[in-house]
Amino acid sequence: MMRHRHVESPRPGETLFIADLHLSPQRPALTELFVSFLEHRAAGARQLYILGDLFDAWIGDDDDSLPEVRIALQWLTRQGTRCALMHGNRDFLIGRRFARATGCDLVRDPCRIQLGGEPILLMHGDLLCSDDIAYQRFRRRVRNPLVQRLFLWSPLQKRRRIAADYRQRSSEAMTGKSAEIMDVNRSAISLRMQRHAVRRLIHGHTHRPGDHAFNLDGQPAMRHVLADWQETRGEALVYRAGSWHREPWVGSAAERPEHSQNKH
């Protein structure tokens, strides 16, 4: 069984949060954008959290596609930036081999951390979409260790065909679901935050970026939804010295990235 771990780094500086890059060989410009982000923006940060769906599909650590991503992550962690990687609904088969090769730490979903003395809950976000009963049933099935083991024993080419078929079926299924069903459930948010005793939640998955202030048990709370990345633009949520802001990333030429004035 895989053991997830999270190690806090004493290195001073910023903490960055990203999610939903959906990297694939079919989108080379997006991969280039991410590598540029690691080299020119994430380098020098204390910690980078990738909260799921780094890849559009991950069929096992023996997959030899996108070697530049492994190389860039390895370079980043060797520079001293901690990189914590959470499974998403598309890349939950990332395993220990990938973690060792890149120097990333695999963290659980959900994961509770501390920043500036504040407890914060990190999630990919799909667990919060509790109204999508069919998806939650499917999620439980494919996260079964036995099902995963049988899949990983299959030849690589067969796994690629299965993954391609899954992506097509997933796309077709989404067209028949309402936006409300595919979004997070407010009660699920409250229950998770209460269970982990936090007032701030960060997640991705829904591709509906935003910062949502609300009341939780009569106290102010905040939910940050991370942005999904496109070929020409990405975005990180940045924590620095007690403040939060969103920061776009548009490529290696952006050595001085724009800074949002939206503070939380």
Side-chain angles (χ1 to χ4, degrees), residues 122-157:
L122 308 180
M123 301 183 70
H124 174 56
D126 56 335
L127 282 170
L128 300 171
C129 299
S130 57
D131 292 330
D132 193 344
I133 297 173
Y135 168 73
Q136 295 298 335
R137 187 182 302 117
F138 170 80
R139 187 186 191 279
R140 288 191 294 271
R141 184 168 68 251
V142 298
R143 297 299 180 101
N144 184 301
L146 178 59
V147 172
Q148 293 183 8
R149 194 174 300 117
L150 290 172
F151 177 79
L152 292 173
W153 279 343
S154 301
L156 186 60
Q157 289 301 324

Short mmCIF file of all heavy atoms in Angstrom, two decimals, residues 122-157:
data_model
loop_
_atom_site.label_atom_id
_atom_site.label_comp_id
_atom_site.label_asym_id
_atom_site.label_seq_id
_atom_site.Cartn_x
_atom_site.Cartn_y
_atom_site.Cartn_z
N LEU A 122 -6.78 21.16 2.24
CA LEU A 122 -6.53 21.03 0.81
C LEU A 122 -7.25 19.80 0.28
O LEU A 122 -7.20 18.73 0.88
CB LEU A 122 -5.03 20.90 0.54
CG LEU A 122 -4.10 21.93 1.17
CD1 LEU A 122 -2.65 21.64 0.79
CD2 LEU A 122 -4.48 23.35 0.75
N MET A 123 -7.91 19.95 -0.87
CA MET A 123 -8.60 18.83 -1.51
C MET A 123 -8.47 18.98 -3.02
O MET A 123 -8.24 20.09 -3.52
CB MET A 123 -10.08 18.80 -1.13
CG MET A 123 -10.36 18.68 0.35
SD MET A 123 -12.14 18.55 0.74
CE MET A 123 -12.52 16.91 0.09
N HIS A 124 -8.64 17.86 -3.73
CA HIS A 124 -8.76 18.01 -5.18
C HIS A 124 -10.11 18.64 -5.50
O HIS A 124 -10.20 19.56 -6.30
CB HIS A 124 -8.63 16.67 -5.89
CG HIS A 124 -8.89 16.77 -7.36
ND1 HIS A 124 -8.19 17.63 -8.18
CD2 HIS A 124 -9.82 16.17 -8.16
CE1 HIS A 124 -8.65 17.55 -9.42
NE2 HIS A 124 -9.65 16.67 -9.43
N GLY A 125 -11.17 18.15 -4.88
CA GLY A 125 -12.48 18.75 -5.04
C GLY A 125 -13.56 17.81 -5.50
O GLY A 125 -14.76 18.08 -5.30
N ASP A 126 -13.19 16.67 -6.09
CA ASP A 126 -14.23 15.78 -6.59
C ASP A 126 -15.04 15.14 -5.47
O ASP A 126 -16.22 14.83 -5.65
CB ASP A 126 -13.64 14.71 -7.52
CG ASP A 126 -12.54 13.89 -6.87
OD1 ASP A 126 -11.89 14.38 -5.93
OD2 ASP A 126 -12.32 12.74 -7.32
N LEU A 127 -14.44 14.97 -4.30
CA LEU A 127 -15.19 14.42 -3.17
C LEU A 127 -16.31 15.36 -2.71
O LEU A 127 -17.26 14.92 -2.07
CB LEU A 127 -14.25 14.15 -1.99
CG LEU A 127 -13.40 12.87 -2.07
CD1 LEU A 127 -12.36 12.87 -0.97
CD2 LEU A 127 -14.28 11.63 -1.99
N LEU A 128 -16.19 16.63 -3.04
CA LEU A 128 -17.19 17.61 -2.65
C LEU A 128 -18.40 17.63 -3.59
O LEU A 128 -19.42 18.23 -3.27
CB LEU A 128 -16.57 19.01 -2.60
CG LEU A 128 -15.41 19.18 -1.61
CD1 LEU A 128 -14.74 20.53 -1.82
CD2 LEU A 128 -15.90 19.04 -0.18
N CYS A 129 -18.27 16.96 -4.73
CA CYS A 129 -19.37 16.92 -5.70
C CYS A 129 -20.29 15.74 -5.38
O CYS A 129 -20.48 14.82 -6.19
CB CYS A 129 -18.81 16.82 -7.11
SG CYS A 129 -17.76 18.21 -7.60
N SER A 130 -20.86 15.77 -4.20
CA SER A 130 -21.61 14.62 -3.68
C SER A 130 -22.96 14.43 -4.37
O SER A 130 -23.57 13.37 -4.24
CB SER A 130 -21.81 14.77 -2.18
OG SER A 130 -22.46 16.00 -1.87
N ASP A 131 -23.45 15.44 -5.11
CA ASP A 131 -24.71 15.29 -5.82
C ASP A 131 -24.57 14.41 -7.05
O ASP A 131 -25.57 13.90 -7.57
CB ASP A 131 -25.26 16.65 -6.23
CG ASP A 131 -25.70 17.48 -5.04
OD1 ASP A 131 -26.11 16.88 -4.03
OD2 ASP A 131 -25.62 18.72 -5.11
N ASP A 132 -23.34 14.25 -7.54
CA ASP A 132 -23.09 13.40 -8.71
C ASP A 132 -22.90 11.97 -8.22
O ASP A 132 -21.78 11.47 -8.09
CB ASP A 132 -21.85 13.91 -9.46
CG ASP A 132 -21.72 13.27 -10.84
OD1 ASP A 132 -22.39 12.25 -11.09
OD2 ASP A 132 -20.95 13.81 -11.67
N ILE A 133 -24.01 11.32 -7.97
CA ILE A 133 -23.98 9.99 -7.35
C ILE A 133 -23.29 8.97 -8.26
O ILE A 133 -22.53 8.11 -7.79
CB ILE A 133 -25.40 9.55 -7.01
CG1 ILE A 133 -26.01 10.51 -5.98
CG2 ILE A 133 -25.42 8.12 -6.47
CD1 ILE A 133 -27.47 10.27 -5.69
N ALA A 134 -23.54 9.05 -9.56
CA ALA A 134 -22.93 8.09 -10.49
C ALA A 134 -21.42 8.22 -10.47
O ALA A 134 -20.70 7.21 -10.46
CB ALA A 134 -23.46 8.32 -11.90
N TYR A 135 -20.93 9.45 -10.43
CA TYR A 135 -19.47 9.64 -10.38
C TYR A 135 -18.89 9.12 -9.08
O TYR A 135 -17.84 8.46 -9.07
CB TYR A 135 -19.09 11.10 -10.57
CG TYR A 135 -17.63 11.33 -10.24
CD1 TYR A 135 -16.65 10.89 -11.12
CD2 TYR A 135 -17.23 11.90 -9.02
CE1 TYR A 135 -15.30 11.04 -10.80
CE2 TYR A 135 -15.89 12.04 -8.71
CZ TYR A 135 -14.93 11.60 -9.60
OH TYR A 135 -13.61 11.73 -9.28
N GLN A 136 -19.54 9.41 -7.95
CA GLN A 136 -19.01 8.97 -6.67
C GLN A 136 -18.96 7.44 -6.59
O GLN A 136 -18.02 6.87 -6.02
CB GLN A 136 -19.86 9.53 -5.52
CG GLN A 136 -19.82 11.05 -5.41
CD GLN A 136 -18.43 11.60 -5.13
OE1 GLN A 136 -17.58 10.91 -4.58
NE2 GLN A 136 -18.20 12.85 -5.50
N ARG A 137 -19.93 6.79 -7.20
CA ARG A 137 -19.92 5.32 -7.25
C ARG A 137 -18.75 4.83 -8.09
O ARG A 137 -18.03 3.89 -7.72
CB ARG A 137 -21.24 4.81 -7.83
CG ARG A 137 -21.40 3.30 -7.78
CD ARG A 137 -22.70 2.85 -8.42
NE ARG A 137 -23.85 3.47 -7.78
CZ ARG A 137 -24.70 4.30 -8.38
NH1 ARG A 137 -24.53 4.61 -9.66
NH2 ARG A 137 -25.73 4.80 -7.73
N PHE A 138 -18.54 5.48 -9.24
CA PHE A 138 -17.41 5.12 -10.10
C PHE A 138 -16.08 5.38 -9.40
O PHE A 138 -15.16 4.56 -9.48
CB PHE A 138 -17.50 5.94 -11.39
CG PHE A 138 -16.27 5.84 -12.26
CD1 PHE A 138 -16.07 4.74 -13.08
CD2 PHE A 138 -15.32 6.84 -12.25
CE1 PHE A 138 -14.94 4.64 -13.88
CE2 PHE A 138 -14.18 6.76 -13.05
CZ PHE A 138 -13.99 5.65 -13.86
N ARG A 139 -16.01 6.49 -8.67
CA ARG A 139 -14.77 6.84 -7.97
C ARG A 139 -14.40 5.76 -6.95
O ARG A 139 -13.23 5.36 -6.85
CB ARG A 139 -14.92 8.19 -7.27
CG ARG A 139 -13.63 8.72 -6.64
CD ARG A 139 -13.91 10.00 -5.85
NE ARG A 139 -12.68 10.66 -5.46
CZ ARG A 139 -11.93 10.31 -4.42
NH1 ARG A 139 -12.28 9.29 -3.66
NH2 ARG A 139 -10.83 10.99 -4.15
N ARG A 140 -15.38 5.31 -6.19
CA ARG A 140 -15.10 4.28 -5.20
C ARG A 140 -14.60 2.99 -5.86
O ARG A 140 -13.72 2.31 -5.31
CB ARG A 140 -16.36 4.00 -4.36
CG ARG A 140 -16.71 5.10 -3.38
CD ARG A 140 -17.78 4.65 -2.42
NE ARG A 140 -19.05 4.40 -3.08
CZ ARG A 140 -19.99 5.32 -3.27
NH1 ARG A 140 -19.78 6.57 -2.87
NH2 ARG A 140 -21.12 5.00 -3.86
N ARG A 141 -15.14 2.68 -7.02
CA ARG A 141 -14.75 1.45 -7.70
C ARG A 141 -13.30 1.53 -8.20
O ARG A 141 -12.51 0.61 -7.97
CB ARG A 141 -15.70 1.16 -8.87
CG ARG A 141 -15.41 -0.15 -9.58
CD ARG A 141 -16.52 -0.54 -10.53
NE ARG A 141 -16.61 0.35 -11.68
CZ ARG A 141 -17.58 1.23 -11.88
NH1 ARG A 141 -18.56 1.35 -10.99
NH2 ARG A 141 -17.60 2.00 -12.94
N VAL A 142 -12.95 2.62 -8.88
CA VAL A 142 -11.61 2.69 -9.48
C VAL A 142 -10.53 2.99 -8.45
O VAL A 142 -9.34 2.76 -8.71
CB VAL A 142 -11.55 3.74 -10.60
CG1 VAL A 142 -12.49 3.36 -11.74
CG2 VAL A 142 -11.86 5.15 -10.09
N ARG A 143 -10.90 3.46 -7.26
CA ARG A 143 -9.91 3.67 -6.21
C ARG A 143 -9.67 2.41 -5.38
O ARG A 143 -8.83 2.40 -4.49
CB ARG A 143 -10.36 4.81 -5.28
CG ARG A 143 -10.48 6.18 -5.96
CD ARG A 143 -9.17 6.66 -6.52
NE ARG A 143 -9.30 7.96 -7.16
CZ ARG A 143 -8.94 9.12 -6.59
NH1 ARG A 143 -8.42 9.11 -5.37
NH2 ARG A 143 -9.10 10.25 -7.23
N ASN A 144 -10.39 1.35 -5.69
CA ASN A 144 -10.17 0.08 -5.00
C ASN A 144 -8.77 -0.43 -5.35
O ASN A 144 -8.43 -0.57 -6.53
CB ASN A 144 -11.23 -0.94 -5.45
CG ASN A 144 -11.13 -2.25 -4.72
OD1 ASN A 144 -10.11 -2.92 -4.76
ND2 ASN A 144 -12.20 -2.65 -4.06
N PRO A 145 -7.93 -0.74 -4.35
CA PRO A 145 -6.56 -1.18 -4.63
C PRO A 145 -6.48 -2.40 -5.54
O PRO A 145 -5.58 -2.50 -6.37
CB PRO A 145 -6.00 -1.48 -3.24
CG PRO A 145 -6.81 -0.62 -2.32
CD PRO A 145 -8.18 -0.59 -2.90
N LEU A 146 -7.42 -3.33 -5.41
CA LEU A 146 -7.41 -4.52 -6.26
C LEU A 146 -7.69 -4.15 -7.71
O LEU A 146 -7.01 -4.65 -8.63
CB LEU A 146 -8.44 -5.53 -5.76
CG LEU A 146 -8.58 -6.81 -6.60
CD1 LEU A 146 -7.24 -7.55 -6.66
CD2 LEU A 146 -9.66 -7.72 -6.02
N VAL A 147 -8.66 -3.28 -7.94
CA VAL A 147 -8.96 -2.84 -9.30
C VAL A 147 -7.75 -2.13 -9.91
O VAL A 147 -7.39 -2.36 -11.07
CB VAL A 147 -10.19 -1.91 -9.30
CG1 VAL A 147 -10.40 -1.28 -10.67
CG2 VAL A 147 -11.44 -2.67 -8.87
N GLN A 148 -7.09 -1.30 -9.12
CA GLN A 148 -5.91 -0.60 -9.61
C GLN A 148 -4.79 -1.57 -9.94
O GLN A 148 -4.10 -1.42 -10.96
CB GLN A 148 -5.45 0.43 -8.58
CG GLN A 148 -6.44 1.57 -8.38
CD GLN A 148 -5.92 2.62 -7.40
OE1 GLN A 148 -4.77 2.57 -6.98
NE2 GLN A 148 -6.78 3.56 -7.04
N ARG A 149 -4.59 -2.57 -9.08
CA ARG A 149 -3.52 -3.54 -9.31
C ARG A 149 -3.76 -4.32 -10.60
O ARG A 149 -2.83 -4.53 -11.40
CB ARG A 149 -3.42 -4.48 -8.12
CG ARG A 149 -2.15 -5.30 -8.09
CD ARG A 149 -2.02 -6.10 -6.81
NE ARG A 149 -1.99 -5.24 -5.64
CZ ARG A 149 -2.90 -5.24 -4.68
NH1 ARG A 149 -3.95 -6.06 -4.76
NH2 ARG A 149 -2.80 -4.45 -3.64
N LEU A 150 -4.98 -4.74 -10.83
CA LEU A 150 -5.31 -5.48 -12.05
C LEU A 150 -5.09 -4.61 -13.29
O LEU A 150 -4.59 -5.09 -14.31
CB LEU A 150 -6.76 -5.96 -11.99
CG LEU A 150 -7.05 -7.07 -10.97
CD1 LEU A 150 -8.56 -7.32 -10.89
CD2 LEU A 150 -6.31 -8.35 -11.33
N PHE A 151 -5.45 -3.35 -13.19
CA PHE A 151 -5.25 -2.43 -14.32
C PHE A 151 -3.76 -2.26 -14.61
O PHE A 151 -3.33 -2.32 -15.77
CB PHE A 151 -5.90 -1.08 -14.01
CG PHE A 151 -5.68 -0.05 -15.09
CD1 PHE A 151 -6.44 -0.06 -16.24
CD2 PHE A 151 -4.72 0.94 -14.93
CE1 PHE A 151 -6.24 0.90 -17.24
CE2 PHE A 151 -4.51 1.90 -15.91
CZ PHE A 151 -5.27 1.88 -17.07
N LEU A 152 -2.97 -2.05 -13.59
CA LEU A 152 -1.54 -1.81 -13.77
C LEU A 152 -0.80 -3.05 -14.24
O LEU A 152 0.31 -2.93 -14.80
CB LEU A 152 -0.93 -1.29 -12.46
CG LEU A 152 -1.39 0.10 -12.03
CD1 LEU A 152 -0.86 0.44 -10.64
CD2 LEU A 152 -0.94 1.16 -13.04
N TRP A 153 -1.36 -4.22 -14.05
CA TRP A 153 -0.75 -5.45 -14.57
C TRP A 153 -0.97 -5.59 -16.08
O TRP A 153 -0.28 -6.39 -16.72
CB TRP A 153 -1.35 -6.66 -13.87
CG TRP A 153 -0.72 -6.93 -12.52
CD1 TRP A 153 0.46 -6.44 -12.04
CD2 TRP A 153 -1.27 -7.75 -11.49
NE1 TRP A 153 0.69 -6.88 -10.76
CE2 TRP A 153 -0.35 -7.70 -10.39
CE3 TRP A 153 -2.42 -8.52 -11.35
CZ2 TRP A 153 -0.56 -8.39 -9.20
CZ3 TRP A 153 -2.63 -9.21 -10.17
CH2 TRP A 153 -1.72 -9.15 -9.11
N SER A 154 -1.89 -4.84 -16.64
CA SER A 154 -2.17 -4.93 -18.08
C SER A 154 -1.03 -4.29 -18.88
O SER A 154 -0.34 -3.40 -18.38
CB SER A 154 -3.47 -4.21 -18.41
OG SER A 154 -4.56 -4.76 -17.70
N PRO A 155 -0.83 -4.73 -20.12
CA PRO A 155 0.21 -4.11 -20.96
C PRO A 155 -0.05 -2.61 -21.15
O PRO A 155 -1.20 -2.16 -21.13
CB PRO A 155 0.09 -4.87 -22.28
CG PRO A 155 -0.56 -6.17 -21.91
CD PRO A 155 -1.49 -5.86 -20.78
N LEU A 156 1.01 -1.87 -21.35
CA LEU A 156 0.92 -0.41 -21.46
C LEU A 156 -0.02 0.02 -22.58
O LEU A 156 -0.84 0.93 -22.40
CB LEU A 156 2.32 0.18 -21.67
CG LEU A 156 2.44 1.69 -21.66
CD1 LEU A 156 1.97 2.27 -20.32
CD2 LEU A 156 3.89 2.12 -21.92
N GLN A 157 0.07 -0.60 -23.73
CA GLN A 157 -0.78 -0.21 -24.86
C GLN A 157 -2.25 -0.46 -24.55
O GLN A 157 -3.12 0.33 -24.95
CB GLN A 157 -0.36 -0.97 -26.13
CG GLN A 157 0.96 -0.53 -26.71
CD GLN A 157 0.96 0.95 -27.08
OE1 GLN A 157 -0.05 1.51 -27.52
NE2 GLN A 157 2.09 1.62 -26.85
#
